Amino acid sequence: MFDYSPAPESKDLVKFQASYGHFIGGKFTKPANTFSTINPATEQVLAEISHGTAKDVDSAVKAARTAYEKTWSKLDGATRGKYLYRIARIIQERSRELAVAETLNNGKPIRETRDADIPLVASWFFYYAGWADKLDYAGLGSNPRAHGVVSQIVPWNFPLMMLAWKIAPALAAGNTVVLKPAETTPLTALLFAEICQQAELPDGVVNIVTGFGDTGAMMVGHPDVNKIAFTGSTDVGRKIAKQIAGTDKKATLELGGKAANIVFEDAALDQAVEGIVNGIFFNQGHVCCAGSRLLVQESVQDVVIKKLKARMENIRLGDPMDKNTDIGAINSKEQLTKIDRLVKQGVKEGGEAWAPSCVIPKNGFWYAPTIITGVSPANTVVREEIFGPVLSVMTFRTPAEAVAKANNSQYGLSAGVWSEKGSRILKMADQLNAGVVWANTFNQFDPASPFGGFKESGYGREGGRHGLLSYLKGSN
Amino acid sequence: MPTIDPEAVVGSRITNQSLSRWLHSLPGVDKVGLEARTASLGTRSIKTASKAWALDMAIQMMDLTTLEGADTKERVRSLCLKAITPDPTDLTTPQPAAICVYGDMVKHAKEALGKNKIHVAAVATAFPSGRASLPVKIADTKDAVNAGADEIDMVIDRGAFLSGNYLEVYKQILAVKAACLRKDGTRAHLKVILETGELETYDNIRRASYLAMLAGPDFIKTSTGKVSVNATLPITLLMLQAVKDWFDQTKIQIGVKPAGGIRTAKDAIKYLVVVKETAGEKWLTPKYFRFGASSLLNDVLMQRQKLTTGHYSGRDYVSVD
């Protein structure tokens, strides 16, 4: 038997402090009002984190405002770009450390933080560094202006990557920021604060305030904040939209999703199966654009499901620090409970759940990769975002039916189309009501490509020139 | 050994038209997706006990090869001695599966190997180009079988395949398979070389794999080692997927042999990972997976010594062959 021996990455590559304060005006505050952040794979405490108060938020916004007025808005684009390039290079230099930190705090496998998260983080800073001195060409006429101070709130599924998606374009456009990482995954944002110090970024340009939803609400409500950028659940997105209604605050909201992954009978089936796996089991399915609804043409349903199950038997669930792990830990007990509840609901409504045989570790939060067959667009598991490694399988007979079923969702973030026929792909892309449509691939990200949704998946775009525009206004 | 009814598989009488229809109805292969999957499997980290297992398995799966115009009896004898005792400093080292030579060297190899269980494989059918008439290919095969070859590595007629003459390719494989029969009723094992580097596209490689499998060989093999692109990991993954699907469909298990360009232990381990995670554990045996290689053995031996002794030796601590 060819069993892979344990191949753990070293935990010693990162040293966390026992406790962290907020990062305000270039300095860490004294830890206060702390809560524990854990490793979801072991439930061990990694560090104590400060829960931001109104006073903390206010001093962070003040620091950001001062930095904006006195320093950052006075620098020319090339100089801002210089800082961003510097940050990008430091991220590359410290990539192993950041990958380990992210895996420890989030539970996602080291293979993904090493090969996807951290390289994308660096690429985002490199990409927007290049824009900093070219804002005249962003499409808003000459000399577009920054908004000023931006409050940014990021989720726990890609902690550092979401930070990069937010901070890189904001700084390139000339804004200063106050960012709050999710309460379960604050550590890489705090390491990023150290990187800002290392890059000698002017004090107050980036401020990190940690805490829970109440801290975030204070960041949204603060009167001296000009723009909100939020990635997270549709529920919270709705609250933010209500909170800022009637003010002149701008907002971009990147919310939930329930992507259809559509496999036609003429698709390259083996690669489509890979794409289905990558679409829903990447990052334990904690992906807003995850391909959580499989739509497979009836004529190839049996072969696709058979191949998918065979492929799923090879998925390795376990210690996220092991280099051969494909599926790590669920980020929190709360999330695990939600996934479990929704799958049980799916089975209750007549769905058939199947998971490969895999050993679930004793400690930590885990959910085996699961597919649910025998469900229809009327079922809860097909309608609600599960945000876990759970795939609902449905069939279709014609392209029109595929489009109708795919678009029958409150969300509209992403979709996938699998076909060897180019014209069909283009027609589907045209008809699918989704911000991103992947053809013969899934979950591909690039800083040059805009990303964002329709309907309850939010508004505004991140990435590319479009992502830059969210942080700029015209000069007239 | 169970056999299949080719007409049942193709769904009609075997004609060039029916073969063409059948082969072109196979699902396509997406190049980007296939190569991405392969690259992802290439990041598996194989350490300690699993590495030791993999190195020993790689040796046992090796067809230690010399296919040079300059081959001599002495050269072949030397290679056979190396196969018998790959590492004189560690007699626990397993032996490779076979020695692979040109047909006229079979008798020398048999003589050198004596009663040893290491097989002798002979390339035949106007290897490597395959450009000869069928009677010549059959004579070439029979000659090697009569000289005692245990295994025959034949090449397909790529010209016929690329011009859409699938029936010709199929018939030739059947004819060569018949020529593998010995007088005592046993049969030399047949490996069918697709020469994937000349087929170029993954779609072609999948079709050629199916066409070859229809003729009932023991192995399908990537390459001769004589063209610019030989075995690659994505091609091997694709062929492993083909034999796996074939097995699921027909219950007939066919082996895969990548050949040419696999030089390091690290590469060999990546291949084994691809075998395990594509075709499955059933293929992790010399009966169903082989490496066609020459310089690979020494690198594996060096890695093996490193695992045993804790330090790297060097090229002069393994024998040249």
Side-chain angles (χ1 to χ4, degrees):
Chain A
M1 283 283 281
F2 189 22
D3 288 328
Y4 303 155
S5 305
E9 178 59 286
S10 168
K11 287 185 174 65
D12 299 335
L13 286 163
V14 63
K15 289 268 178 293
F16 296 123
Q17 293 167 30
S19 58
Y20 286 90
H22 310 291
F23 181 67
I24 296 171
K27 288 168 206 66
F28 281 97
T29 61
K30 225 175 130 219
N33 200 9
T34 60
F35 61 97
S36 302
T37 189
I38 63 164
N39 176 350
T42 61
E43 299 177 59
Q44 278 166 345
V45 173
L46 295 170
E48 297 297 322
I49 305 297
S50 300
H51 183 164
T53 61
K55 217 175 128 222
D56 296 324
V57 170
D58 189 54
S59 65
V61 172
K62 280 205 173 92
R65 177 60 62 191
T66 308
Y68 178 73
E69 305 285 352
K70 299 228 163 104
T71 329
W72 201 240
S73 64
K74 302 250 172 12
L75 292 179
D76 59 15
T79 310
R80 289 199 309 274
K82 183 191 77 179
Y83 285 110
L84 291 173
Y85 278 124
R86 204 183 273 172
I87 289 170
R89 282 194 301 270
I90 296 172
I91 287 165
Q92 286 186 320
E93 281 162 22
R94 295 176 64 170
S95 60
R96 265 183 94 189
E97 173 195 358
L98 292 168
V100 168
E102 197 78 301
T103 288
L104 288 174
N105 199 193
N106 173 280
K108 65 171 76 191
I110 188 77
R111 187 169 73 83
E112 287 180 9
T113 53
R114 179 195 67 197
D115 297 343
D117 291 62
I118 308 303
L120 279 167
V121 169
S123 73
W124 237 266
F125 279 98
F126 276 117
Y127 176 80
Y128 279 109
W131 265 115
D133 60 353
K134 302 173 191 70
L135 300 182
D136 288 354
Y137 305 96
L140 290 171
S142 65
N143 203 20
R145 287 173 303 146
H147 288 295
V149 175
V150 186
S151 274
Q152 304 181 317
I153 299 166
V154 297
W156 46 262
N157 59 341
F158 295 96
L160 194 60
M161 194 162 112
M162 289 298 109
L163 173 148
W165 283 31
K166 297 272 182 287
I167 290 184
L171 298 197
N175 303 275
T176 56
V177 306
V178 179
L179 178 134
K180 185 186 89 66
E183 62 268 23
T184 57
T185 56
L187 288 171
T188 44
L190 293 163
L191 291 180
F192 181 80
E194 289 176 18
I195 288 172
C196 292
Q197 290 178 323
Q198 197 182 341
E200 294 173 1
L201 187 73
D203 292 347
V205 172
V206 168
N207 303 277
I208 309 280
V209 175
T210 49
F212 291 77
D214 59 334
T215 311
M218 292 184 262
M219 285 166 56
V220 172
H222 195 287
D224 201 27
V225 165
N226 304 104
K227 181 190 155 60
I228 316 296
F230 171 76
T231 296
S233 72
T234 296
D235 280 350
V236 176
R238 223 179 248 128
K239 281 183 198 156
I240 291 173
K242 274 185 196 152
Q243 202 182 345
I244 62 172
T247 74
D248 63 354
K249 287 176 188 171
K250 302 279 178 291
T252 44
L253 304 175
E254 205 269 89
L255 310 174
K258 191 76 187 175
N261 205 357
I262 305 166
V263 179
F264 283 96
E265 62 184 0
D266 69 346
L269 293 180
D270 290 321
Q271 286 71 49
V273 166
E274 283 306 317
I276 294 165
V277 168
N278 183 44
I280 186 62
F281 302 128
F282 175 62
N283 201 34
Q284 296 77 244
H286 300 330
V287 186
C288 48
C289 53
S292 51
R293 288 185 296 152
L294 174 63
L295 282 166
V296 57
Q297 198 155 10
E298 258 187 54
S299 52
V300 289
Q301 179 193 12
D302 292 347
V303 58
V304 167
I305 299 301
K306 189 176 162 199
K307 278 175 177 280
L308 177 61
K309 284 182 174 175
R311 173 67 179 82
M312 284 170 69
E313 290 286 359
N314 278 324
I315 293 177
R316 304 172 67 85
L317 178 145
D319 180 7
M321 289 292 277
D322 191 296
K323 292 172 191 162
N324 293 323
T325 291
D326 299 320
I327 289 199
I330 300 298
N331 181 248
S332 65
K333 192 168 194 170
E334 188 192 357
Q335 188 58 29
L336 178 61
T337 312
K338 183 187 165 193
I339 297 168
D340 194 46
R341 172 175 60 78
L342 282 166
V343 172
K344 285 199 173 111
Q345 175 84 11
V347 172
K348 216 171 106 190
E349 290 175 21
E352 192 184 323
W354 180 91
S357 46
C358 55
V359 183
I360 303 288
K362 224 173 88 212
N363 294 322
F365 318 123
W366 310 88
Y367 204 86
T370 301
I371 59 174
I372 305 183
T373 51
V375 287
S376 81
N379 288 97
T380 309
V381 285
V382 176
R383 308 208 69 81
E384 277 193 39
E385 183 177 38
I386 298 175
F387 222 64
V390 180
L391 176 72
S392 304
V393 182
M394 289 177 295
T395 60
F396 66 94
R397 293 159 299 175
T398 64
E401 186 182 358
V403 169
K405 282 184 168 166
N407 286 343
N408 181 228
S409 167
Q410 71 201 63
Y411 299 109
L413 188 53
S414 65
V417 180
W418 297 82
S419 169
E420 287 286 277
K421 191 167 177 176
S423 58
R424 172 174 291 151
I425 289 171
L426 293 173
K427 188 167 182 199
M428 290 296 291
D430 196 40
Q431 295 178 330
L432 287 167
N433 208 353
V436 181
V437 178
W438 284 294
N440 292 329
T441 188
F442 211 93
N443 276 344
Q444 296 293 323
F445 306 100
D446 189 286
S449 172
F451 181 91
F454 290 119
K455 300 197 269 187
E456 288 190 21
S457 292
Y459 44 79
R461 294 291 177 264
E462 294 187 299
R465 187 180 63 86
H466 299 72
L468 192 68
L469 295 183
S470 313
Y471 289 99
L472 285 173
K473 53 188 175 184
S475 56
N476 46 352
Chain B
M1 182 166 166
T3 51
I4 51 151
D5 173 8
E7 297 197 346
V9 173
V10 175
S12 110
R13 205 165 57 82
I14 303 296
T15 63
N16 195 54
Q17 208 182 9
S18 68
L19 285 176
S20 178
R21 207 164 41 225
W22 174 60
L23 294 174
H24 287 263
S25 72
L26 295 168
V29 184
D30 185 80
K31 180 175 188 283
V32 175
L34 173 62
E35 290 173 1
R37 170 65 177 154
T38 314
S40 148
L41 285 176
T43 68
R44 292 286 192 220
S45 178
I46 307 302
K47 305 278 183 216
T48 57
S50 54
K51 184 173 182 181
W53 185 94
L55 292 176
D56 277 7
M57 183 51 74
I59 298 175
Q60 294 170 69
M61 286 173 164
M62 233 174 270
D63 283 3
L64 200 55
T65 301
T66 181
L67 294 170
E68 302 298 334
D71 282 345
T72 58
K73 178 181 173 182
E74 272 311 303
R75 156 90 182 139
V76 169
R77 201 177 73 89
S78 155
L79 199 66
C80 290
L81 294 181
K82 170 127 187 169
I84 293 168
T85 318
D87 185 353
T89 67
D90 182 355
L91 297 177
T92 66
T93 311
Q95 292 176 340
I99 292 287
C100 184
V101 292
Y102 272 111
D104 61 335
M105 292 289 146
V106 170
K107 58 179 182 289
H108 304 311
K110 286 304 275 188
E111 194 183 306
L113 289 171
K115 289 207 167 2
N116 202 289
K117 65 173 174 40
I118 300 168
H119 281 190
V120 175
V123 294
T125 68
F127 180 96
S129 73
R131 293 259 64 87
S133 69
L134 186 57
V136 171
K137 291 182 182 178
I138 291 170
D140 193 13
T141 307
K142 283 188 170 158
D143 184 56
V145 173
N146 290 338
D150 303 285
E151 305 176 357
I152 295 294
D153 289 24
M154 71 167 288
V155 292
I156 65 164
D157 185 339
R158 284 87 76 189
F161 181 88
L162 291 171
S163 62
N165 196 351
Y166 303 124
L167 188 62
E168 177 62 26
V169 178
Y170 175 68
K171 278 184 170 167
Q172 285 192 16
I173 302 172
L174 288 182
V176 173
K177 190 181 169 190
C180 289
L181 273 176
R182 299 190 192 95
K183 290 194 180 72
D184 61 1
T186 60
R187 184 172 64 78
H189 278 210
L190 180 64
K191 307 193 196 97
V192 179
I193 302 171
L194 309 179
E195 196 65 305
T196 52
E198 289 187 349
L199 303 182
E200 198 175 315
T201 69
Y202 291 124
D203 286 335
N204 274 344
I205 294 167
R206 171 172 277 172
R207 288 177 195 136
S209 300
Y210 273 76
L211 185 58
M213 290 191 295
L214 190 69
D218 300 284
F219 271 75
I220 51 175
K221 174 175 168 183
T222 59
S223 349
T224 60
K226 301 291 184 190
V227 294
S228 53
V229 181
N230 292 293
T232 70
L233 213 44
I235 287 170
T236 308
L237 190 152
L238 176 59
M239 289 168 66
L240 283 161
Q241 188 71 55
V243 295
K244 165 78 161 56
D245 290 343
W246 187 261
F247 178 74
D248 288 345
Q249 189 188 341
T250 66
K251 300 293 156 226
I252 306 264
Q253 193 175 356
I254 292 172
V256 174
K257 176 178 171 184
I262 307 161
R263 294 193 181 85
T264 64
K266 204 172 171 181
D267 280 345
I269 292 173
K270 284 184 185 178
Y271 276 85
L272 293 182
V273 165
V274 168
V275 174
K276 173 183 159 74
E277 299 204 30
T278 307
E281 299 269 351
K282 266 199 177 85
W283 270 262
L284 277 174
T285 147
K287 197 174 169 201
Y288 293 112
F289 195 78
R290 296 280 182 87
F291 291 106
S294 43
S295 56
L296 174 62
L297 178 58
N298 273 350
D299 195 62
V300 174
L301 291 177
M302 280 195 286
Q303 291 293 332
R304 207 175 172 279
Q305 288 174 355
K306 153 83 175 33
L307 272 187
T308 330
T309 64
H311 58 83
Y312 282 105
S313 48
R315 284 184 192 177
D316 289 340
Y317 292 81
V318 290
S319 60
V320 293
D321 47 49

